[in-house]
Amino acid sequence: MAKHTADSLGGAVLIRGTGLLGTSIGLGLSKAGAQVYLSDPSPSAQAVAVDIGAGAPLGEATTDPAVVVIAAPPDVCAAEIADALQRYPNAVVLDIASIKVALLEDLQKRVAAGELTAEQLSRYIGCHPMAGRERSGPVAARGELFTSMPWVICRRADVQEAAVNAALEIAHTLGASVSYMDTADHDASVALISHLPQIAASLVASRLQDTRPESLALAGNGLRDVTRIAASDPSLWVQILSGNAPRIVEILYGVREDLNRLINTMENPTGPGARLDIAQLMSEGNTGHARIPGKHGAPPQAFTKVTVIVDDTPGQIAALLADIGRIGINVEDLRMEHSAGHQVGMVEVAVVPGVRDTLIESLTEIGWKVVQ
Amino acid sequence: MAKHTADSLGGAVLIRGTGLLGTSIGLGLSKAGAQVYLSDPSPSAQAVAVDIGAGAPLGEATTDPAVVVIAAPPDVCAAEIADALQRYPNAVVLDIASIKVALLEDLQKRVAAGELTAEQLSRYIGCHPMAGRERSGPVAARGELFTSMPWVICRRADVQEAAVNAALEIAHTLGASVSYMDTADHDASVALISHLPQIAASLVASRLQDTRPESLALAGNGLRDVTRIAASDPSLWVQILSGNAPRIVEILYGVREDLNRLINTMENPTGPGARLDIAQLMSEGNTGHARIPGKHGAPPQAFTKVTVIVDDTPGQIAALLADIGRIGINVEDLRMEHSAGHQVGMVEVAVVPGVRDTLIESLTEIGWKVVQ
């Protein structure tokens, strides 16, 4: 990956909003040599971000910023963008909210109402860095947060090329992987690949509220995987889901249709065609799943899995992976099997299919118990 | 874990069905010293199981088995159990199918019809070893498949104590972790913790069938986790879902109610109470998710996560884990971050909260880039 510095930003960067993402951007840009200023409505959040080296407080700025990054919650993003476009007449303004259509519509309304000019709006470019984590706030921020993660730039016909270039420069400086997408396509895409899984996880997890502990004790990786993101922050997701509601609801109609068909079938599971109906849903799931790209953009399911039994003591997995490294094989993915109450575990290692037999043979020779 | 041998089974074990699970049981019991016989309607499946050491072909049996394990597909299980109970008047007969109510009802109907006697049925004990894998067939079988995995024994008032003991002995010999459950409770439990997640994964994955590749390229771990089990075998799942339909459909009614509420809300996302409705679904998901037990039966979410950046080259993760092992900290779980097209990755390591700061400090000192 080419190393980027912040030389070509053409001036200072102001980051408005010093939560997890804003502070992480500040840290990354500061490390790359950019002059970064920070502001946040919460003085303590701003102070923490300054203290950990994400930038200087805005009060110290002697000139106007060349780029303003709006890292505010979705709900206040449009007002923040409009304010920055007016306040800094020469700056590129970009935001990093995870939904874009409603935001742009809000800004376009402000143009129609004469509150913003078309020139001002042409300096705004929407971005969506697809990075995040379970913790929030500036304390959790790290400059490497965006390394290798997708960063969508939402190009528009009315946006200045300088704005696109500034967004590209910032994304590259942070080590992110840029793709371009139309605003509407972006929101439709995230409705499907991000918002729908979130809703499904919450719907399934919600059913567990009154389950007896004995039943939950049987939970395996299937339930854990499907519900993992159900632990997400409700207040953020309320803003995302309501902000992207028109795109999401279209997808939910399709889910409801499938669910109704399945319920009708399962109310009479021995009726004519019932099994075919169930098989069809399952096989449609197979088809959809197979389309998700693999790691490194490799074809889906390009890796084969080998399961090894390990004691659950410090260093065991390390020893296993060290042995695999010595054999000269790259681990493409790794999962630990969970089951409650056990001191012996299984580790599932994904490798390219060509090395599978070598791996199994070599590990077995060294004394590892290989399940597959 | 106490080591078990097969001494106390009181005779030979016949395994009917040499797929993945039957053959794995044969391998495990044979290794523990039991006399195992195998039979399968497919001569080639039986031959493979014999060849890899899971047992001898049934034709060589000189005496009746003490235990018969029915490892047949759900659809033919009841007939197989009934046949074994009649054919071997002194044997305990157990099955390992993942649903139990329909099976028992079928057997009870045979008693009512005079086809089986109550004495015969009292020698039947239902088991559900919760182990499996993505590959199937005897070639994928391993004797260690059940190590530390849950093994449910479905006790009934009318079952002989000898049958329960034989099931317990087999489960212990295979290293599984036994729990007892009423037949109806078992099926209601798996409907919720296994069948519902499978349906949700298939419903979400099904929506991806016509998605453009550019959208799928943005897929993150959320989508991957939620849809992972959507790759499961349709023909097996048709049998499971239709066999447990009455329990599953009750749960799906609740899901449909939540989904309808959400759709109504999202059709008018700025209406009164809309945000509260969405927040409520999200927070119910939080509550349900928090009830899933952690590894080793630890309280849910008992682990804290530390993310480290690694190059995607052989040995990197091993080196990281070796360093963590040297620091003396046990890795409770490990996940690799996926994103398409990148050669640098993130590894998320779960540890007990008390060691988090030590881990971050020590790793940073050694030169690892710690994100959290």
Side-chain angles (χ1 to χ4, degrees):
Chain A
M1 185 181 331
K3 288 283 170 198
H4 280 261
T5 59
D7 295 342
S8 36
L9 287 171
V13 177
L14 167 62
I15 299 172
R16 286 169 65 155
T18 58
L20 168 71
L21 295 178
T23 307
S24 294
I25 291 174
L27 283 170
L29 294 181
S30 295
K31 274 184 200 161
Q35 174 68 57
V36 176
Y37 294 101
L38 306 168
S39 78
D40 195 284
S42 153
S44 77
Q46 181 180 314
V48 170
V50 169
D51 283 352
I52 63 176
L58 176 58
E60 293 175 11
T62 53
T63 56
D64 278 0
V67 182
V68 182
V69 176
I70 305 298
D75 270 1
V76 297
C77 243
E80 283 282 307
I81 293 166
D83 180 77
L85 288 169
Q86 289 160 340
R87 194 182 295 256
Y88 305 109
N90 300 311
V92 166
V93 176
L94 63 88
D95 79 305
I96 57 166
S98 56
I99 45 173
K100 290 283 173 273
V101 172
L103 209 53
L104 187 60
E105 284 171 356
D106 184 317
L107 293 168
Q108 283 165 339
K109 269 184 209 155
R110 290 169 196 250
V111 173
E115 190 194 322
L116 277 182
T117 67
E119 186 284 328
Q120 286 171 331
L121 187 57
S122 73
R123 289 184 280 112
Y124 161 68
I125 177 82
C127 293
H128 180 198
M130 303 190 72
R133 52 206 325 211
E134 283 149 45
R135 294 176 66 210
S136 60
V139 176
R142 293 294 182 278
E144 297 82 10
L145 191 64
F146 306 97
T147 308
S148 297
M149 302 306 279
W151 182 300
V152 182
I153 297 179
C154 291
R155 267 189 148 136
R156 313 184 310 275
D158 69 318
V159 75
Q160 292 182 17
E161 205 49 30
V164 176
N165 290 340
L168 189 63
E169 192 60 32
I170 284 181
H172 279 167
T173 304
L174 296 170
S177 171
V178 170
S179 60
Y180 295 99
M181 214 174 241
D182 169 66
T183 307
D185 285 347
H186 169 272
D187 277 21
S189 298
V190 292
L192 190 61
I193 65 143
S194 167
H195 308 167
L196 172 63
Q198 179 63 52
I199 288 168
S202 295
L203 286 170
V204 171
S206 171
R207 293 290 108 205
L208 305 177
Q209 289 178 97
D210 306 316
T211 312
R212 296 177 316 147
E214 306 89 274
S215 303
L216 288 169
L218 301 180
N221 275 342
L223 181 69
R224 287 193 169 82
D225 285 351
V226 169
T227 60
R228 185 179 60 86
I229 53 175
S232 304
D233 175 21
S235 68
L236 175 66
W237 275 94
V238 166
Q239 298 180 44
I240 295 174
L241 296 182
S242 58
N244 202 23
R247 268 66 58 188
I248 297 168
V249 86
E250 285 299 321
I251 297 168
L252 293 183
Y253 290 148
V255 173
R256 177 163 66 181
E257 205 173 293
D258 284 351
L259 179 62
N260 278 330
R261 199 181 70 198
L262 183 66
I263 286 176
N264 289 341
T265 299
M266 294 189 77
E267 282 172 337
N268 185 13
T270 55
R275 293 196 155 212
L276 184 62
D277 265 5
I278 301 175
Q280 199 178 332
L281 169 68
M282 295 298 304
S283 104
E284 285 171 4
N286 285 176
T287 306
H289 177 268
R291 298 193 66 231
I292 303 173
K295 200 181 148 207
H296 299 178
Q301 306 183 313
F303 303 121
T304 183
K305 285 160 188 170
V306 173
T307 304
V308 184
I309 296 186
V310 295
D311 289 340
D312 191 23
T313 52
Q316 273 285 296
I317 301 168
L320 169 65
L321 291 178
D323 283 344
I324 297 176
R326 269 191 291 273
I327 299 166
I329 288 174
N330 196 21
V331 173
E332 302 294 342
D333 197 7
L334 186 149
R335 291 172 52 86
M336 291 171 69
E337 289 290 329
H338 290 253
S339 63
H342 308 301
Q343 295 299 328
V344 172
M346 302 209 196
V347 175
E348 187 187 79
V349 169
V351 296
V352 292
V355 303
R356 182 176 168 271
D357 295 344
T358 312
L359 179 63
I360 292 175
E361 263 174 50
S362 308
L363 286 179
T364 308
E365 248 173 49
I366 309 173
W368 291 100
K369 282 195 197 165
V370 180
V371 180
Q372 173 174 351
Chain B
M1 183 180 336
K3 288 284 171 196
H4 279 261
T5 59
D7 295 342
S8 37
L9 287 170
V13 177
L14 166 62
I15 299 171
R16 285 169 67 156
T18 58
L20 168 71
L21 296 179
T23 306
S24 294
I25 292 174
L27 284 170
L29 295 181
S30 294
K31 274 182 199 162
Q35 174 68 55
V36 176
Y37 294 102
L38 305 169
S39 78
D40 195 284
S42 153
S44 76
Q46 180 180 316
V48 169
V50 170
D51 283 353
I52 64 175
L58 176 58
E60 294 175 11
T62 53
T63 57
D64 278 358
V67 182
V68 181
V69 176
I70 305 298
D75 269 0
V76 297
C77 244
E80 284 282 307
I81 294 166
D83 179 77
L85 289 169
Q86 288 160 340
R87 195 182 295 257
Y88 304 109
N90 300 309
V92 166
V93 175
L94 64 86
D95 79 305
I96 56 166
S98 55
I99 45 173
K100 291 284 175 269
V101 171
L103 209 52
L104 187 60
E105 283 171 355
D106 185 318
L107 293 169
Q108 283 164 340
K109 269 185 207 155
R110 289 169 198 251
V111 172
E115 191 195 322
L116 278 182
T117 67
E119 187 283 330
Q120 286 172 332
L121 186 57
S122 73
R123 289 184 281 110
Y124 162 68
I125 178 82
C127 293
H128 181 198
M130 303 190 72
R133 52 204 325 208
E134 283 152 43
R135 294 175 65 212
S136 60
V139 176
R142 294 293 182 278
E144 297 82 10
L145 190 65
F146 307 96
T147 308
S148 297
M149 302 306 280
W151 182 300
V152 181
I153 297 179
C154 292
R155 267 189 149 138
R156 315 184 308 275
D158 69 319
V159 76
Q160 291 182 19
E161 205 49 32
V164 176
N165 289 341
L168 190 62
E169 192 60 33
I170 284 180
H172 279 167
T173 303
L174 296 170
S177 171
V178 170
S179 60
Y180 294 99
M181 214 174 239
D182 169 64
T183 307
D185 285 348
H186 169 272
D187 277 21
S189 298
V190 293
L192 190 61
I193 64 144
S194 168
H195 308 166
L196 172 63
Q198 178 62 52
I199 289 168
S202 295
L203 286 170
V204 171
S206 172
R207 294 291 109 204
L208 305 176
Q209 290 178 96
D210 307 316
T211 312
R212 295 176 318 146
E214 307 89 273
S215 304
L216 288 169
L218 301 180
N221 275 343
L223 181 69
R224 287 194 169 82
D225 285 350
V226 169
T227 60
R228 186 180 59 86
I229 53 176
S232 304
D233 174 21
S235 68
L236 175 66
W237 274 95
V238 166
Q239 298 181 44
I240 295 174
L241 296 182
S242 58
N244 202 23
R247 268 66 59 188
I248 296 169
V249 87
E250 284 301 320
I251 297 168
L252 293 183
Y253 290 147
V255 174
R256 178 163 65 183
E257 207 173 291
D258 284 352
L259 180 61
N260 278 329
R261 200 181 70 199
L262 184 66
I263 287 176
N264 289 342
T265 299
M266 295 189 77
E267 283 171 337
N268 185 13
T270 54
R275 291 194 157 215
L276 186 61
D277 265 5
I278 301 176
Q280 198 177 333
L281 170 68
M282 295 297 303
S283 105
E284 286 170 4
N286 286 175
T287 306
H289 176 267
R291 299 194 66 230
I292 302 173
K295 202 182 148 208
H296 300 180
Q301 306 184 311
F303 303 121
T304 182
K305 285 160 187 170
V306 173
T307 303
V308 184
I309 296 186
V310 296
D311 290 339
D312 191 23
T313 52
Q316 273 286 296
I317 301 168
L320 169 65
L321 291 178
D323 283 345
I324 297 176
R326 270 191 290 273
I327 299 166
I329 288 175
N330 195 23
V331 173
E332 302 294 341
D333 197 7
L334 187 148
R335 290 172 52 86
M336 291 171 69
E337 290 289 328
H338 289 255
S339 64
H342 309 302
Q343 295 298 326
V344 172
M346 303 210 196
V347 174
E348 187 188 77
V349 169
V351 296
V352 292
V355 303
R356 182 175 169 274
D357 295 344
T358 313
L359 179 62
I360 293 175
E361 264 174 48
S362 307
L363 284 179
T364 309
E365 249 173 49
I366 308 173
W368 290 100
K369 283 195 196 165
V370 180
V371 179
Q372 176 174 349

